[in-house]
Amino acid sequence: EFQRLTIYVEVIIVVSHCCNESNVVGLDFSRFRNLREVRVGDECFIFVDEVKLIGLNQLERVVIGASSFMGHKGSFCLKKCPLIRELKIGHNSFWSYDLCEIEENDRLDVIEIRGVNGGYGSSFCSGSLFIKGESRRVK
């Protein structure tokens, strides 16, 4: 169903326990030029090993639930989204991903990667985290 969405969609909401077919292995949101928000529930896209959110000029918010994107040795990329302000990831999502790349998102104010019950989690536990962008002073 994801492939059938119009490129003009502004909000994508995936309810919990969806999109877990073994043939769904990569997600590239970059074709949705008007996309403002992405919300993914718990335990979704368990076979996906690559997530790309690149060059989305209207994107403001990305929220991922718990235990989603469990693909083996995958990569997550959030790059060149000038309006994004918030990235929230629930515990155990992206747990086996090798790479988390967050780059050139100058308005990004909140990066929250949750652990179980607010503690430490195992998101990106075997990977590298790269955050690149303009330095800002936080008050």
Side-chain angles (χ1 to χ4, degrees), residues 103-118:
E103 185 174 342
E104 296 180 50
N105 304 299
D106 295 334
R107 290 190 180 177
L108 186 57
D109 292 326
V110 175
I111 299 175
E112 179 180 293
I113 301 175
R114 305 273 324 199
V116 178
N117 297 323

Side-chain angles (χ1 to χ4, degrees), residues 19-97:
C19 305
N20 291 323
E21 297 80 14
S22 61
N23 64 331
V24 181
V25 294
L27 269 181
D28 187 352
F29 290 91
S30 302
R31 70 185 183 99
F32 303 110
R33 293 293 171 201
N34 295 330
L35 192 60
R36 292 183 296 107
E37 182 175 352
V38 175
R39 283 189 288 173
V40 175
D42 298 338
E43 298 177 11
C44 296
F45 299 107
I46 60 172
F47 293 103
V48 169
D49 60 10
E50 182 177 52
V51 179
K52 292 181 182 179
L53 296 125
I54 301 172
L56 296 167
N57 293 328
Q58 304 304 315
L59 186 64
E60 298 172 7
R61 185 172 192 233
V62 175
V63 178
I64 310 293
S67 300
S68 291
F69 299 101
M70 306 295 280
H72 185 66
K73 296 191 181 284
S75 64
F76 173 84
C77 182
L78 174 64
K79 188 184 291 188
K80 297 181 181 179
C81 299
L83 297 183
I84 190 153
R85 294 188 176 275
E86 181 178 42
L87 170 63
K88 292 186 175 184
I89 298 172
H91 69 275
N92 292 335
S93 288
F94 305 102
W95 71 273
S96 66
Y97 275 39

